[in-house]
Amino acid sequence: HPADIAYILEALPLDDRLLIWRQIQDDCGGEVLLEVSDAVRDSLIETLEPPALIKVLAQLDADDLAALAEAVPDAVLAEVSQKLNARDRDWLQTTMAYPETVVGHLMSQDVLTVRGDHRVEQVLRMLRGRADLPHNTDSLYVVDIRNLFKGVLPLRALLLNDPEARVADLTLTDQVVFDPNDNASDAARAFQRYDLVSAPVVNERGKLIGRLTVDAVVDFIREESEEDALNMAGLRGDEDLFAPIWDSARN
């Protein structure tokens, strides 16, 4: 698993780390870059020439590219962006426009929507017609013809109700909703408090624009915790276990 490879890379001195990295970068390098710490990520990216880095980043979707945007040279990111379709390219630009500390930077575009006038059987048929479901899908979002958010339709409601039931009658309207400019730390606390798996992101006009998922929130919490721990020791986020001793001692 990429997370296990990342854990091993972080525990290895630089030479051994790069030896492993050269063997896996073409297969799952992009996924590994998402999992390692900032300091180790920078050391891995520095070893790649632009064509090789572009090949690694091409393994990722727009949501994942947004997570790595700050660590990638602008020229490389621009070239990778050109390989995306228009929808993904627009999404990458949208999420990158938000600061790293707000919900808009963490949200995903993988959202399943339905209309309130649909029947349960219609929705189930639509889901069966898909090759896969987005990660952490525990509900669908109900919108109108203008994409205005109306509420949440839990998957369990689809499974436990009559196939002829209307979506509008099963919709929950009192669920947690985030604005893209909400503080990510506040959103993380809401996920912990309410045991959320996913939550809709709605703009000031009431339009559904994305989805915040528990995996993105957990990654954010982990990064914040690691940075706090380093700061307590007088270290910076760009230092790892094998940073030069004199640099670490000076900090």
Side-chain angles (χ1 to χ4, degrees):
H1 192 282
D4 295 326
I5 297 174
Y7 180 80
I8 292 170
L9 291 177
E10 291 178 348
L12 291 175
L14 184 59
D15 289 344
D16 293 340
R17 180 188 300 164
L18 298 183
L19 175 64
I20 301 299
W21 173 239
R22 285 191 289 269
Q23 296 182 59
I24 58 94
Q25 65 188 41
D26 290 339
D27 296 323
C28 60
E31 295 291 338
V32 171
L33 288 178
L34 290 170
E35 300 289 346
V36 293
S37 66
D38 291 349
V40 174
R41 178 184 303 148
D42 291 343
S43 72
L44 300 179
I45 289 178
E46 286 176 0
T47 67
L48 298 177
E49 294 295 326
L53 181 55
I54 290 171
K55 184 177 180 181
V56 168
L57 296 178
Q59 302 167 12
L60 304 176
D61 60 23
D63 288 332
D64 292 336
L65 281 175
L68 295 179
E70 296 295 327
V72 176
D74 292 341
V76 170
L77 185 62
E79 186 161 346
V80 174
S81 299
Q82 293 305 312
K83 298 179 182 297
L84 300 173
N85 59 45
R87 176 174 178 265
D88 287 345
R89 190 160 54 246
D90 289 343
W91 180 258
L92 179 60
Q93 294 174 351
T94 297
T95 52
M96 285 176 55
Y98 290 102
E100 292 185 355
T101 56
V102 303
V103 168
H105 191 81
L106 303 179
M107 65 182 178
S108 167
Q109 66 175 332
D110 289 331
V111 179
L112 294 179
T113 61
V114 293
R115 300 277 177 78
D117 57 353
H118 286 173
R119 302 287 178 178
V120 167
E121 176 54 35
Q122 290 176 283
V123 178
L124 290 173
R125 193 182 310 121
M126 179 269 290
L127 293 178
R128 286 193 294 266
R130 295 178 57 92
D132 198 5
L133 292 179
H135 291 304
N136 296 306
T137 296
D138 62 328
S139 58
L140 285 69
Y141 300 144
V142 183
V143 296
D144 65 12
I145 194 171
R146 296 179 297 164
N147 206 45
L148 293 175
F149 178 73
K150 297 299 181 184
V152 172
L153 177 66
L155 286 183
R156 65 177 180 273
L158 292 174
L159 299 175
L160 300 178
N161 283 279
D162 190 292
E164 293 301 316
R166 292 174 66 251
V167 166
D169 297 331
L170 306 176
T171 299
L172 304 179
T173 59
D174 59 347
Q175 300 298 290
V176 176
V177 176
F178 295 107
D179 182 277
N181 294 302
D182 284 345
N183 186 282
S185 296
D186 293 339
R189 283 190 286 271
F191 265 72
Q192 292 176 310
R193 183 179 303 120
Y194 304 118
D195 294 326
L196 301 176
V197 175
S198 68
V201 181
V202 178
N203 67 16
E204 70 280 1
R205 292 175 293 177
K207 289 192 174 184
L208 178 69
I209 60 172
R211 182 175 71 121
L212 186 61
T213 57
V214 65
D215 55 341
V217 170
V218 168
D219 286 344
F220 175 81
I221 294 174
R222 183 193 65 188
E223 291 176 4
E224 292 288 294
S225 299
E226 289 176 351
E227 185 173 341
D228 289 344
L230 287 170
N231 289 339
M232 289 176 63
L235 303 178
R236 299 191 309 266
D238 58 358
E239 291 181 295
D240 70 5
L241 183 63
F242 300 99
I245 184 64
W246 293 116
D247 291 347
S248 296
R250 184 166 56 248
N251 290 328

